């Protein structure tokens, strides 16, 4: 809702500040929305924007779009745990501190151990997939190509034009289905 209002009313003279762009959705939906919203603001509105996100993939916008700069708030790991330094530094954040923050919040040790194991499994899987792709191995499962096409179509939808005032919910849904090549 907030994103819709921002995209419909912001001008080149606006300052947009968004905390956790893409939060509250599934990973793919969240990334698709965060990416599409970011690109829309950059390409169509052209105003100053500051946003925080957990989608590390969005840091690639710095190489793809003029005027984008990645920054992060620094933290330091030490014997006493994690210390937030409250300093803004250039570049993307290269690691996540979610598990350390959970430890600081006294999440049960079993949950922390399971989280570390599952994160390592996912990281290992992701690295293996990237390595296989570099070697030219086809590791796609049935439907991967279609899923990627769907995400790309969604990322290219001009959401603000679909959210114009005076357009009914049913009309908006029809336009969305048409843009995504879904059955009417």
């Amino acid at each position: 809702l907030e994103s819709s209002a921002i995209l419909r009313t912001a001008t080149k003279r606006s300052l947009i500040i968004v905390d956790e762009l893409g939060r509250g959705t599934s990973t793919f939906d969240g990334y698709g929305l965060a990416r599409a919203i970011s690109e829309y603001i950059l390409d169509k509105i052209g105003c100053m924007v500051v946003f925080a996100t957990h989608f590390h993939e969005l840091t690639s916008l710095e190489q793809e779009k003029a005027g984008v700069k990645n920054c992060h708030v620094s933290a330091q790991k030490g014997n006493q745990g994690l210390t937030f330094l409250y300093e803004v530094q250039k570049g993307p954040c290269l690691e996540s501190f979610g598990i350390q923050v959970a430890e600081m919040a006294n999440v049960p040790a079993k949950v922390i151990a399971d989280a570390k194991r599952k994160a390592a499994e996912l990281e290992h899987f992701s690295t293996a997939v990237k390595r296989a792709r570099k070697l030219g191995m086809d590791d796609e499962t049935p439907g991967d190509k279609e899923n990627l096409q769907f995400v790309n179509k969604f990322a290219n939808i001009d959401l603000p034009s679909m959210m114009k005032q005076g357009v009914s919910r049913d009309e908006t849904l029809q336009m969305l289905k048409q843009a995504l090549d879904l059955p009417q």
Side-chain angles (χ1 to χ4, degrees):
L1 187 58
E2 292 89 358
S3 294
S4 174
I6 289 168
L7 296 176
R8 284 186 286 111
T9 60
T11 69
K12 188 169 185 65
R13 294 176 43 104
S14 298
L15 168 62
I16 300 172
I17 301 173
V18 181
D19 183 26
E20 283 300 331
L21 185 60
R23 182 187 69 224
T25 61
S26 73
T27 300
F28 296 117
D29 284 354
Y31 172 73
L33 284 165
R35 179 73 185 219
I37 289 168
S38 301
E39 289 181 347
Y40 185 87
I41 292 169
L42 289 165
D43 297 339
K44 304 285 189 208
I45 300 172
C47 67
M48 173 76 76
V49 60
V50 176
F51 70 85
T53 183
H54 59 280
F55 294 110
H56 295 279
E57 298 85 356
L58 285 178
T59 62
S60 68
L61 282 171
E62 186 174 47
Q63 283 77 44
E64 300 167 18
K65 301 278 186 180
V68 174
K69 298 291 178 212
N70 290 314
C71 296
H72 67 280
V73 178
S74 59
Q76 183 176 18
K77 288 195 271 186
N79 294 341
Q80 301 297 321
L82 186 65
T83 303
F84 293 100
L85 301 176
Y86 301 102
E87 296 173 350
V88 177
Q89 296 182 348
K90 292 180 180 180
C93 183
L94 300 177
E95 61 183 306
S96 173
F97 300 111
I99 293 175
Q100 288 90 342
V101 170
E103 286 177 309
M104 292 167 63
N106 293 319
V107 169
K110 168 133 178 54
V111 173
I112 297 296
D114 284 350
K116 287 179 179 179
R117 182 179 49 79
K118 291 177 188 305
E121 288 172 6
L122 188 59
E123 190 172 323
H124 175 73
F125 175 77
S126 177
T127 302
V129 167
K130 287 177 186 174
R131 193 174 305 125
R133 286 187 176 144
K134 279 184 180 177
L135 295 173
M137 299 168 70
D138 186 8
D139 60 349
E140 291 183 357
T141 58
D144 278 355
K145 201 170 279 183
E146 291 82 8
N147 292 339
L148 182 59
Q149 288 171 343
F150 180 85
V151 170
N152 287 331
K153 282 180 191 175
F154 189 83
N156 289 318
I157 292 175
D158 185 6
L159 293 174
S161 69
M162 287 187 177
M163 304 303 289
K164 289 179 188 167
Q165 292 180 352
V167 177
S168 74
R169 181 180 174 275
D170 289 339
E171 290 171 317
T172 302
L173 187 58
Q174 285 302 107
M175 288 189 293
L176 199 54
K177 285 181 177 180
Q178 184 178 359
L180 296 171
D181 296 325
L182 296 174
Q184 303 292 327

